[in-house]
Amino acid sequence: MGSFAKYTKYAVYLVVLLFGLLLGYLFFGESKNDKPIDVEAHVDKVTYTCSMHPNVVSNEKGTCPICGMDLVKMSVEVSTDSDNRFEMSERAVALANVQTSTIGFNTQNGQVTLSGEITSNDKTNATQTTLFDGRLDKLEVNYIGEYVRKGQVIGTIYSPDLYLAQDKLLTSASYKDTHEKLYAAARNTLGLWKLTDQQIDDLLKTGKPIQNFPLVADVAGTVVEIIASEGNYFKQGDPLFKVSRLSTVWAVFQAYENQMPLLKKGQQIEISSEAFKGTPLKATISFIEPILDRGSRVVSVRADISNKEGKWKPGMFVEGKVNVDSTGDSLLMVPKSAVLWTGERSVVYKKVNAIKPEFELLRVQLGESVGENYIVLEGLQTGDEIVTNGTFVIDAAAQLQGKNSMMYSNDAELKQNEKQHEHLNKLTSEQNQKLKEALNVYFDFKDELVASNSNKSIMFAEKLHKILVLVDQTGIDNNLQGNIKSAITSLVIIEKSKDLEKNRLEFKNLSKAIIFISSQITDYGNPIYIQHCPMADNNTGGDWLSLDKAIKNPYFGDKMLTCGSVVKVIK
């Protein structure tokens, strides 16, 4: 019994020991050092965004629901306190293939492209006027393009003054031998009205004053404008019609304020038209208007064209290209790929730290494009390191961190601009109603561009033009007047062009003016959405107005129908 109890006691100890070891294994068997490493905890959190629409963010790969482009990886680690500065991870920069370039004074040649039209040569223009007061009974010149010769009978006029002058001459002729001076004075009076000696002699032979006196042209050329109409009374010196000798014509181009440093008198310009295919005509800039138009901010640039064959017609739309050398003007240049546009704003991203990938949003003022670059007027200095590839992804990173970006800014300058933009003119009810009519037609015009319907879009452009011309501009400020004039200028260009793509480009300038005009209208009744496509106009971006929040892109139509986003709402 003693032995049995002894062995039983040891067995119990053994069981307790084994049970303790089992519990120890269960609770402490996995060492902390042996725990599997959470790889995601040591890797930047990866999200995906759209290069064109940075507001689209996803945790998974896929395509953009707006434009269908593949989403790209984004990874953000560090942010800074500045609203314009932020820092990205090295891995995020590598994934985005971000590249930078140091800007300086460009040494490449480029071109400036100008739009314009053919006009008559003012130096060869002349105006046929009336030589005495009277009623125009008949006008033989009745269509544009008719050629008038000097000395040609162009109509008849009834003039009581001329009738009395003829009667006075006939009376003085009866006693010219005794009152020679009176006779000479009466004859000279008719001479001052440019009656020829033959006409005066014929009058003396018949002895009867002419009631419907023939008008004789004292100018020669092709009729370019008819001013008079039969049955109306005219005073001495009033114009009847205008003529021009079209053996030479002018090509008149519109150059914007920031293009002026590149253009000089004597530069060669290549002129082309959709009407003619082949080698462009080479001409020379003969005149640059010295006064800037305050409304449209343009000056006229003129070139003389020899037109002996009558090939170039006044009113014909033309394009001019001028080769410019940036080195001669010492112009600071920035690559086009570095610039992001939204409305009137243009921004770039500058790398501000040589060691870390830290970037800063800078607003810049740009001039004309020269080749693949823009002229920098303000905002950058030579030696600045600018992002030239992956710019949209950088902008998306800024938005993800809540920083200022291409589409959003809370800086004081932007707020001040918006405050100025929202200044309202005190419009009369008639002015307000007329601008509302114009805005409604603009929406119709925009819809036809969305549908890629060229003919109907031009029809609405003509209708919009007629409405804006009739707007009474009494009491409205220069800013609104300038935008109305700018809109009319764009509409004239659209009406003359039958090219849908060119009209879509000009629609950008039209929309810029109409956006301002819409901000001045009161009680429109519906919210108006300002929408933006960053890819319009060769990726420089373009805005437009819509009554529908859904995007329907007028710059691309069904090719990229939903590309764009709402940037502001006018209520």
Side-chain angles (χ1 to χ4, degrees), residues 69-131:
M69 294 182 64
D70 290 337
L71 300 181
V72 296
K73 291 181 180 180
M74 269 300 308
S75 176
V76 180
E77 281 186 342
V78 186
S79 64
T80 66
D81 293 333
S82 171
D83 286 338
N84 288 336
R85 288 193 181 191
F86 63 98
E87 185 180 340
M88 295 175 62
S89 69
E90 295 284 357
R91 182 172 181 271
V93 171
L95 286 172
N97 191 26
V98 174
Q99 298 176 13
T100 60
S101 300
T102 301
I103 66 168
F105 294 107
N106 197 293
T107 58
Q108 297 180 352
N109 291 338
Q111 279 188 333
V112 173
T113 301
L114 304 173
S115 296
E117 66 175 337
I118 299 297
T119 70
S120 58
N121 185 341
D122 285 350
K123 294 180 180 179
T124 65
N125 290 349
T127 301
Q128 177 67 51
T129 64
T130 56
L131 301 177

Side-chain angles (χ1 to χ4, degrees), residues 216-330:
V216 178
D218 56 6
V219 297
T222 301
V223 177
V224 294
E225 182 181 0
I226 298 176
I227 303 169
S229 56
E230 294 179 352
N232 289 337
Y233 281 84
F234 296 90
K235 293 183 178 181
Q236 181 178 354
D238 283 350
L240 299 178
F241 56 84
K242 294 180 180 180
V243 298
S244 179
R245 296 179 182 177
L246 299 181
S247 57
T248 61
V249 293
W250 286 346
V252 180
F253 301 93
Q254 301 301 314
Y256 288 96
E257 190 174 1
N258 52 27
Q259 293 174 313
M260 293 174 60
L262 296 171
L263 301 173
K264 294 180 177 62
K265 184 178 178 180
Q267 281 178 312
Q268 188 177 80
I269 182 170
E270 294 184 351
I271 303 172
S272 58
S273 169
E274 288 294 323
F276 310 124
K277 303 299 181 182
T279 305
L281 173 70
K282 293 183 179 180
T284 301
I285 294 177
S286 58
F287 178 77
I288 298 178
E289 194 174 20
I291 301 174
L292 186 75
D293 186 291
R294 292 185 178 181
S296 60
R297 311 304 297 172
V298 298
V299 297
S300 294
V301 177
R302 190 175 76 211
D304 298 345
I305 299 178
S306 176
N307 191 40
K308 294 181 179 179
E309 297 179 357
K311 175 181 176 181
W312 300 93
K313 313 293 185 184
M316 184 179 290
F317 181 76
V318 290
E319 182 179 79
K321 292 185 177 180
V322 182
N323 291 324
V324 295
D325 185 354
S326 60
T327 57
D329 298 298
S330 298

